[in-house]
Amino acid sequence: MITDRVILVRPYAFKFNKETAKDNIYQVKPKKTTEEEMQERALKEFDNAVDLLRQNMIHVDVIEDFDDTTPDSIFPNNVFVTFPGKIFISQMYTENRNEEYEKILPQLKKIIDYNKAEIIDFRNNEERVLEGTGAVVIDRWNNICYGSLSKRCDKDEFLKFAKMFGLKPIYFKAEDHKTNIYHTNVMMMVGEKFAIIADDLITENKDEVLKSLRDSGKEIISINKDEFDNYAGNSIELKGRDKNILVISKSAFEVLTRENREKIEKYDKILPIDVTTISKFGGGSIRCMIAENFFDISEA
């Protein structure tokens, strides 16, 4: 299952989020860049991303953030996840990220018909967190979900999520700089016919992960540390008109090995998007900015 409909949140006050930086080692603390400069650059990157997606015939619904209380609202895929007729709501790890869902809800209801929605709400359990499709990478063609366990991907919540949505759970542990990788989608993505994964970072259950990917018919595209550091794993496959589209950060595209680029291009058109500011200070890249809209897609 793949979609050409996505939801993005336009930032009002994008900035370095001190709360999330406690376990997100990929956020760079600004030294000379002011918050005003950060927001201005992030806004340009966001608007360019929307334009490029629309030029490639992706339907983009934009939600507007409207105050400075939620600096990470630009990453909505962590907050809610859509399935045909269903909406999953995440318990977030930090307080200011837990404010995002109710804040965007009035605008979200203009995109999704909540009168027809089954709501699966995992909030109100601060001890157990599962941050949407940041924590969970879903193979929607084979009904499998992958999760790298961390403070933002609780094992029990992950297994409960898998059971509720009829998915086979594959969990593992992965580390970078001796720290648990905070989100699974930083290190892997699963497309229709291939998967991109920084498998060298997996410290537990690596064989099961790779076996599951092979058994489900995916070509495994392993990325090196340079590709990982530039967020090659934080990419997303969307439905194109003639060919599927791999949306990837420009920085990741520029460091892809020739071999990996050719593997991807067997299946997808590659769409690089410059999100340098957002990635640097937000610790997440283009995939984190995109919430897929599967709500009105038939499961048949």
Side-chain angles (χ1 to χ4, degrees), residues 201-244:
L201 300 180
I202 299 178
T203 57
E204 293 183 23
N205 222 20
K206 177 177 177 177
D207 289 345
E208 184 178 358
V209 173
L210 297 180
K211 183 178 186 301
S212 176
L213 291 171
R214 292 191 193 99
D215 289 350
S216 58
K218 310 297 181 187
E219 178 172 1
I220 296 173
I221 301 175
S222 293
I223 53 175
N224 61 35
K225 191 61 167 60
D226 192 25
E227 292 168 310
F228 167 79
D229 286 341
N230 284 278
Y231 294 101
N234 195 243
S235 51
I236 182 172
E237 187 179 59
L238 298 174
K239 183 179 180 181
R241 287 296 178 263
D242 302 314
K243 194 175 187 180
N244 288 344

Side-chain angles (χ1 to χ4, degrees), residues 173-191:
K173 288 188 177 180
E175 293 183 358
D176 186 28
H177 298 288
K178 299 181 180 179
T179 301
N180 286 335
I181 290 177
Y182 81 105
H183 273 165
T184 312
N185 77 358
V186 170
M187 62 170 295
M188 73 177 293
M189 64 78 63
V190 177

Side-chain angles (χ1 to χ4, degrees), residues 80-124:
F80 69 93
V81 183
T82 64
F83 293 82
K86 300 177 182 179
I87 303 170
F88 169 79
I89 308 169
S90 305
Q91 171 70 35
M92 303 297 290
Y93 181 59
T94 60
E95 185 176 347
N96 61 16
R97 294 227 64 190
N98 269 314
E99 297 174 4
E100 292 176 28
Y101 180 74
E102 293 298 334
K103 187 178 179 184
I104 68 173
L105 183 57
Q107 294 180 70
L108 190 59
K109 286 182 175 179
K110 295 178 181 179
I111 300 167
I112 295 173
D113 187 353
Y114 267 62
N115 293 319
K116 299 178 181 178
E118 178 184 350
I119 308 297
I120 296 92
D121 194 340
F122 271 35
R123 290 176 297 176
N124 301 317

Side-chain angles (χ1 to χ4, degrees), residues 4-9 46 49-63 111 238 289-291:
D4 58 1
R5 302 182 68 86
V6 299
I7 302 168
L8 278 69
V9 177
F46 178 90
V50 171
D51 287 344
L52 287 172
L53 289 168
R54 287 174 172 165
Q55 288 171 24
N56 282 270
M57 308 306 291
I58 303 299
H59 178 94
V60 182
D61 286 301
V62 175
I63 290 174
I111 300 167
L238 298 174
M289 297 167 59
I290 296 174

Side-chain angles (χ1 to χ4, degrees), residues 21-37:
K22 293 174 183 178
D23 76 319
N24 182 346
I25 64 173
Y26 306 111
Q27 291 177 235
V28 177
K29 190 173 182 179
K31 294 181 180 179
K32 297 182 179 180
T33 307
T34 67
E35 290 185 354
E36 291 76 14
E37 291 171 333

Side-chain angles (χ1 to χ4, degrees), residues 257-270:
T257 64
R258 176 191 287 184
E259 180 183 9
N260 282 347
R261 187 180 300 188
E262 289 175 351
K263 286 179 180 179
I264 294 167
E265 288 176 336
K266 286 191 300 183
Y267 307 109
D268 286 12
K269 172 184 176 180
I270 302 179

